[in-house]
Each structure stands twice: as C-alpha cells, then as structure tokens.
Amino acid sequence: MKSIYLSLITTIAIAGTAQADRLVVKGSDTLGAKLVPQLAEQFKAQHPGTTFDIAAEGSTTGIAAIIDGTAQIGMSSRRAKSSEIGAASAKGVNMKPTTTVSPSPLMLAIR
C-alpha cells in the first residue's frame, strides 16, 4: 500500500506542475473509486486552489483519455496494449507509464 501511495502522490505532483489549478484524472475503478479521491484531498490541502475532476470509468477509458487529451492522468489496472501505444504515438502523445505493484499491477499514464 505504501508503494502505491508514493507512486500515486508522485504522479499527481508531476501532473500538477503542468496545470496547477485543475487536474483531470480518468480511468480504472480500482484506483479512482476510493484511493485517488483520498490522495486528491491530501494534495489539495497542500496546494490550495487545485481542483480534481476524477472519473472512475474503467481502464480503457483512462488510456483513451490520455490519447485524446481529455485527461492529464489516465489510470489503468492493466498495461497499455501495443495498439493503444501506437495510437498515442500517431497523435504525438508520449505516454509516461508509472507502474505500481499491488495485488494487481496498476498503471498511471501522464500526458
């Protein structure tokens, strides 16, 4: 759990530097239902004025949101497929996956 927390807070902090007032996070229910909202609250306490739009709608949604530019952080409980990586590259998007180890691997991609 500690490694997941550290990976997520680091990812949020990196994405937060890109657009400090509003962060859009989409994807995996595994992360987005409880853990990411809790981390977002902790981040907001240290960075007043930051807001989060969190949509826990499944791993495919998170990866697609990174590719189409509708989120700064995409959450996935699986690794990106080669077709998804290819689609991202074709649009000039370099996904930066951050993988955590837990009962199942969790991937966060930062745009």
Side-chain angles (χ1 to χ4, degrees), residues 30-52:
T30 305
L31 290 169
K34 290 186 180 180
L35 185 58
V36 170
Q38 291 171 355
L39 294 174
E41 289 304 315
Q42 291 177 10
F43 187 86
K44 288 191 293 187
Q46 296 174 0
H47 301 88
T50 302
T51 60
F52 285 79

Side-chain angles (χ1 to χ4, degrees), residues 19-75:
Q19 187 177 4
D21 58 341
R22 180 174 175 255
L23 288 171
V24 179
V25 184
K26 293 184 179 182
S28 174
D29 298 23
T30 305
L31 290 169
K34 290 186 180 180
L35 185 58
V36 170
Q38 291 171 355
L39 294 174
E41 289 304 315
Q42 291 177 10
F43 187 86
K44 288 191 293 187
Q46 296 174 0
H47 301 88
T50 302
T51 60
F52 285 79
D53 291 338
I54 301 169
E57 300 169 336
S59 296
T60 300
T61 302
I63 293 171
I66 290 296
I67 294 169
D68 66 22
T70 59
Q72 286 92 12
I73 300 175
M75 306 174 290

